[in-house]
Amino acid sequence: MGMIVLKRKGENAMKNFIDSVVQDMVSNIKIISVLFVTWIILFEKINLFVIVTGLIMSVVSILLTDMYLMPGNYTDEYMFGLRSMIHYFSILVIEIFVAGIGVIPKIILGDSDVAFVTCETKLTDEFLINILANSITLTPGTVTVKKSGSTLRVLTLDTPNIARGEDPRQVLPLKLEHVLLKYEKTVQRRGEKI
C-alpha cells in the first residue's frame, strides 16, 4: 500500500514538473523563437539537424536560465521594446566599429597603455548594468572584468589620465549608458519592474 502511495506522489510530482515546463515554454515562446532564429543564422543553413538542435538548445537555454539565473517571463520582465532594442543595437554596432578603428593604430604602433580602471555607472538596475558591462566587453579595447553593484572594473587600452583629472567614466560607452538610462527612467516613471 505504501509503495502505491509513493508511486502516485512521484507521478503527480512528475506531472506537475512537466506542466510547469510546458507553461514556461508557452510564456517564453517569443524568446525561444529569437534563440531559434539566432541558431539558424549562426549555422548559415537550414537542414533537419540545425532545426532539431536549434529547438532543443533554445528550450534547454530557457529551462537552465529559469532554474539558475532569472526565473520569469523574459518578455514582460527583462526585454526592451523592439524600438528600444533596435536603437540600442544600432548605437552598439557604431561604437564597436569606431572603437575598432581607433584601437588598430595603437596596437600596430605599440602605443597602448593597458590598465585597469574602476568607474561608476549611473544605472541602478542590475539587468541594465549587466547589459552595459557586456557591451563594454564587446567594444574593442575594453573588457569588463568585475562588476559590483554600479561599480565596474574595466581593462582598457585607452587609459584616462586620472592624475590629471580626467574622468574614469570615459572608458564606458557613454552613448549606450545614456540610452539605458533613458529606458530605466521611462520604466521607473511607469512604476514597472525591469
Side-chain angles (χ1 to χ4, degrees):
M1 184 72 167
M3 293 297 281
I4 294 172
V5 171
L6 286 175
K7 185 177 178 184
R8 285 189 182 157
K9 284 184 179 180
E11 288 172 356
N12 286 339
M14 182 58 87
K15 185 180 182 300
N16 290 340
F17 174 74
I18 291 172
D19 288 345
S20 70
V21 167
V22 169
Q23 185 180 10
D24 194 25
M25 295 304 103
V26 169
S27 68
N28 290 305
I29 195 71
K30 289 179 185 175
I31 299 300
I32 291 171
S33 300
V34 168
L35 293 172
F36 178 66
V37 169
T38 304
W39 185 267
I40 290 173
I41 290 170
L42 290 173
F43 270 87
E44 296 180 348
K45 61 183 171 185
I46 298 177
N47 59 33
L48 185 61
F49 174 77
V50 172
I51 291 171
V52 170
T53 56
L55 287 173
I56 291 170
M57 293 307 292
S58 301
V59 169
V60 168
S61 297
I62 293 297
L63 289 175
L64 291 176
T65 303
D66 273 356
M67 288 186 340
Y68 298 110
L69 299 174
M70 302 182 304
N73 184 329
Y74 308 109
T75 306
D76 294 340
E77 294 186 31
Y78 303 109
M79 289 288 286
F80 295 118
L82 184 60
R83 201 171 95 207
S84 298
M85 269 180 34
I86 292 170
H87 182 228
Y88 184 82
F89 285 114
S90 62
I91 293 173
L92 177 61
V93 168
I94 291 169
E95 288 285 322
I96 288 171
F97 279 106
V98 168
I101 292 168
V103 165
I104 290 171
K106 293 177 185 218
I107 292 172
I108 292 172
L109 298 173
D111 188 27
S112 56
D113 185 21
V114 180
F116 288 101
V117 176
T118 303
C119 56
E120 242 357 87
T121 177
K122 295 178 182 177
L123 295 165
T124 57
D125 183 81
E126 285 294 317
F127 180 67
L128 296 178
I129 294 169
N130 285 334
I131 290 176
L132 182 65
N134 288 328
S135 300
I136 290 168
T137 301
L138 285 172
T139 308
T142 53
V143 176
T144 305
V145 293
K146 185 177 180 186
K147 180 187 96 51
S148 178
S150 294
T151 304
L152 301 173
R153 188 160 170 84
V154 179
L155 177 65
T156 180
L157 291 177
D158 272 335
T159 316
N161 193 338
I162 298 168
R164 282 193 284 160
E166 290 185 28
D167 186 8
R169 287 178 32 84
Q170 60 183 308
V171 300
L172 299 176
L174 296 175
K175 291 178 185 174
L176 295 173
E177 183 189 42
H178 180 70
V179 171
L180 294 173
L181 277 168
K182 279 176 55 179
Y183 179 73
E184 183 177 56
K185 287 177 184 169
T186 301
V187 171
Q188 286 172 348
R189 254 185 273 129
R190 286 187 283 172
E192 296 175 2
K193 179 180 180 260
I194 294 177

